[in-house]
Amino acid sequence: NPEAKTAMEDAGRRMFSMMVIYEKLYRSEDFRTVSSAEYLSQLLDMIREQFSTPGVRVERELADFPLDSSVLFPLGMILNELITNAFKYAFVGKGSGTIRVSLRCDDRGSAKLLVLDDGVGLPSEYLSEGTGGFGSMMIRALTDQIQGTVHASSENGARIAVSFPIVSSCIES
């Protein structure tokens, strides 16, 4: 059954993002915090390896600051969902494209994860609060879990921004 196969692959990718964070936490000094840039960069590499779309580039600009596991787990799952969706849907009918991922923080105690692509854009139901599929509902729930906000727009592709509070200091890399 193709639908069951897709559902199992999606669940496997979500589990994979959790395995990466467990490995990073195990190797961390306090078993609680991990470098944001190191974790998200490795996660992006692993997600990229799962898709055979040679014309799609993934660009990243990741600030490096420590994040607590209570934020990293949901943030990793959000990024996994957004990147997976971009690979699966953004470039249908196009031979190539670019996915851009940035993580920035400020001196006011907040950070923003931004995922952009130059693909076909988001369906209108994705942009409406309370609608969309399981993935968009999961992104909203995980964003709520980290006391953040999510904003999606669709101009020249998709743009999803997740803003959330942080307690660590920010070091741009």
Side-chain angles (χ1 to χ4, degrees):
N1 182 335
E3 291 171 359
K5 181 182 177 189
T6 300
M8 293 300 290
E9 288 171 348
D10 288 347
R13 278 190 282 275
R14 291 178 184 123
M15 292 296 296
F16 194 68
S17 72
M18 290 190 287
M19 286 176 18
V20 172
I21 187 67
Y22 278 123
E23 178 199 344
K24 295 290 180 196
L25 287 170
Y26 178 74
R27 296 178 191 276
S28 72
E29 289 181 20
D30 63 2
F31 302 109
R32 188 172 170 90
T33 58
V34 174
S35 157
S36 57
E38 183 181 325
Y39 168 62
L40 295 179
S41 187
Q42 184 177 0
L43 183 59
L44 283 168
D45 290 342
M46 292 179 171
I47 296 167
R48 176 69 182 111
E49 289 173 9
Q50 295 176 9
F51 289 92
S52 58
T53 39
V56 176
R57 292 188 339 260
V58 177
E59 298 175 354
R60 62 191 86 182
E61 185 179 328
L62 304 171
D64 190 17
F65 52 96
L67 279 176
D68 189 84
S69 60
S70 64
V71 173
L72 279 173
F73 276 106
L75 193 63
M77 292 182 74
I78 290 167
L79 182 62
N80 188 354
E81 193 68 26
L82 293 174
I83 299 299
T84 297
N85 285 346
F87 274 112
K88 288 167 70 174
Y89 306 115
F91 306 106
V92 173
K94 297 178 88 177
S96 62
T98 303
I99 301 168
R100 291 180 181 85
V101 179
S102 72
L103 177 67
R104 297 178 184 241
C105 57
D106 60 34
D107 58 358
R108 295 181 310 275
S110 65
K112 180 187 286 188
L113 175 68
L114 183 61
V115 177
L116 305 123
D117 68 58
D118 58 0
V120 298
L122 296 167
S124 58
E125 63 270 8
Y126 191 94
L127 301 172
S128 302
E129 186 78 24
T131 60
F134 175 74
S136 62
M137 290 188 311
M138 184 176 77
I139 289 168
R140 284 191 204 92
L142 290 167
T143 301
D144 288 345
Q145 187 176 330
I146 59 174
Q147 301 173 359
T149 59
V150 62
H151 178 73
S153 61
S154 190
E155 295 174 29
N156 301 320
R159 180 184 195 278
I160 296 122
V162 177
S163 300
F164 55 98
I166 58 171
V167 295
S168 58
S169 61
C170 182
I171 305 164
E172 294 289 334
S173 58

